[in-house]
Amino acid sequence: MLALRLARGARPAVQLRRLLVAVAAAGTALLLLATLGHAVDTPRDAAGSALRLAWCLVPLAATAQLAVAVARTDPAARLREGMAAAGLGPVRLTLVAAASTLLACALGSVLALLVFLRLRGDLGGTPVGPAALLGRGPLPYAAVGVLLAAVPLVAAAATAVALRPGRNTPSAPCADDPPRTDTATPAGLPWGIALTAAGLALEVYAAGHTGPGARLLPLPGGAVTGEVGVLTGWLLSAAGLVLAAPGLVHLIGRVLSMGRSGAVRLLAGRVLQEESRRLGRPLGVLMAAASGAYAGYVLYGPGTLPLHGHGAHGSLGPLTALGAGLVLACTVFSVLATVAESRTARTATTEALRRLGTPAGLLRRAAALRASVLVVILAAVTGGVAHLAAGPLGG
């Protein structure tokens, strides 16, 4: 009940972020229900249905990441002193955040159910789309309930774990907290580089040894299969991007503030070093998602590419396009929510700089510098890795 009251009294920007979580949950629940419809219509294709369900774990994880990022930006999570005076300690505050996530995702699951039944024609009217997409057979109510509850429960559990008491989360700053000086280099950069290189090497090796006896794994869309070694190598390279991103952000900040840097470069570099852990992981996930989007374009895109001519693998199915778009949207909004969280966490520092007479234009130039440098360098790294990783997939 308290979570519902806090949700009703929140500002429009907070409500908008929660609405994004509900929409993401609706898309993921719709994919899960479509998998159930396929399984009901094709009971003999248990392996295919299990594979479709396994692919649904990717948008489910992206939705949970977005829910956690939004929960970190909730005003209730930052007002610890006021909430403690109201009788909400760290444990209850975490439970309230998890309950808010549960409510938003439950709303999305209900919306997905209504859309799914309407598209199937179960609510009256003509069914929309081919029967192979959503199925036409009677649905088991227990399975529908389990799948609809999966997204809210997973997102709420992820929120509770991420915001649990005792965890060193920089997402809940307090005015009395000492200033953070955590500028140590994250340890994941060399391991991430090694994992990415190993994944690319595995892709090239597997693509060069694909023969009649190679193990193939159907990709989303059903029109193309990929060699297991090639797909495993791509997953390793994507995981390497996620692991290396915090260290890469820290390295960019160190290079910016190196030498006889001016006030703008020094401030931009120090902020990147301090925020490398907070910003790095969502940016790494976004880099991996962008790499996957490029690989999908190589496989299905109609345009002419240096790696692959004309998307000869067939068209991308609507459910696959929905899943890919959902993952990309969730990762982008997760980064934006993390940026908003980072900006809020630096409020005290920014106010102190302004009281010392720092011009507002200098702060804006420093923010623009670190944003532009991050975009250019991370886009270049992502493009290079994506180009190398998508080559064997499109071959």
Side-chain angles (χ1 to χ4, degrees):
M1 184 61 67
L2 178 59
L4 183 59
R5 290 181 178 178
L6 290 175
R8 290 176 56 189
R11 295 176 300 173
V14 178
Q15 299 286 23
L16 178 60
R17 290 194 289 265
R18 290 171 178 166
L19 180 61
L20 292 176
V21 174
V23 172
T28 304
L30 184 61
L31 292 175
L32 291 172
L33 291 175
T35 300
L36 177 61
H38 175 270
V40 170
D41 280 8
T42 57
R44 295 183 179 180
D45 189 17
S49 298
L51 183 61
R52 285 170 175 252
L53 184 62
W55 282 114
C56 290
L57 296 179
V58 180
L60 178 60
T63 302
Q65 182 198 22
L66 176 61
V68 171
V70 169
R72 290 182 185 276
T73 63
D74 196 294
R78 300 194 299 267
L79 303 177
R80 291 185 298 179
E81 289 186 346
M83 290 299 177
L88 288 178
V91 175
R92 293 189 63 185
L93 196 58
T94 301
L95 294 179
V96 169
S100 299
T101 301
L102 184 69
L103 288 174
C105 293
L107 176 62
S109 293
V110 173
L111 177 62
L113 178 62
L114 295 177
V115 172
F116 179 74
L117 295 178
R118 177 61 186 88
L119 293 177
R120 281 169 48 98
D122 294 342
L123 298 180
T126 305
V128 179
L133 290 179
L134 304 177
R136 292 290 185 263
L139 299 174
Y141 296 118
V144 171
V146 170
L147 292 180
L148 289 179
V151 181
L153 291 179
V154 169
T159 301
V161 171
L163 302 182
R164 68 184 184 270
R167 184 179 177 87
N168 185 21
T169 54
S171 58
C174 179
D176 296 332
D177 288 343
R180 297 176 63 246
T181 57
D182 184 13
T183 58
T185 306
L189 181 59
W191 294 104
I193 294 175
L195 193 60
T196 301
L200 294 175
L202 179 59
E203 277 194 78
V204 174
Y205 176 82
H209 292 77
T210 301
R215 298 180 60 187
L216 300 179
L217 181 67
L219 295 174
V224 63
T225 56
E227 208 276 320
V228 172
V230 175
L231 296 177
T232 303
W234 179 84
L235 290 175
L236 286 177
S237 63
L241 288 176
V242 177
L243 187 60
L248 184 58
V249 173
H250 188 279
L251 180 61
I252 294 172
R254 174 174 289 184
V255 171
L256 270 179
S257 57
M258 188 177 295
R260 296 183 178 180
S261 56
V264 175
R265 282 179 50 201
L266 181 61
L267 183 58
R270 293 294 292 180
V271 169
L272 285 181
Q273 291 180 65
E274 183 178 346
E275 301 294 333
S276 58
R277 286 178 173 82
R278 191 202 311 266
L279 292 174
R281 194 56 55 85
L283 286 173
V285 175
L286 179 59
M287 293 166 67
S291 175
Y294 182 81
Y297 186 77
V298 169
L299 289 172
Y300 299 102
T304 301
L305 293 173
L307 293 178
H308 190 73
H310 299 284
H313 291 295
S315 60
L316 197 65
L319 293 179
T320 306
L322 172 62
L326 184 64
V327 171
L328 280 176
C330 286
T331 52
V332 170
F333 285 121
S334 296
V335 171
L336 294 179
T338 305
V339 170
E341 174 199 353
S342 176
R343 182 177 180 181
T344 302
R346 294 196 311 272
T347 300
T349 303
T350 304
E351 292 299 328
L353 289 174
R354 288 176 177 174
R355 286 195 300 268
L356 291 174
T358 305
L362 187 146
L363 297 177
R364 287 194 295 267
R365 290 196 300 271
L369 176 62
R370 63 175 179 266
S372 57
V373 170
L374 271 183
V375 169
V376 171
I377 295 181
L378 295 185
V381 172
T382 304
V385 173
H387 190 85
L388 295 174
L393 289 176

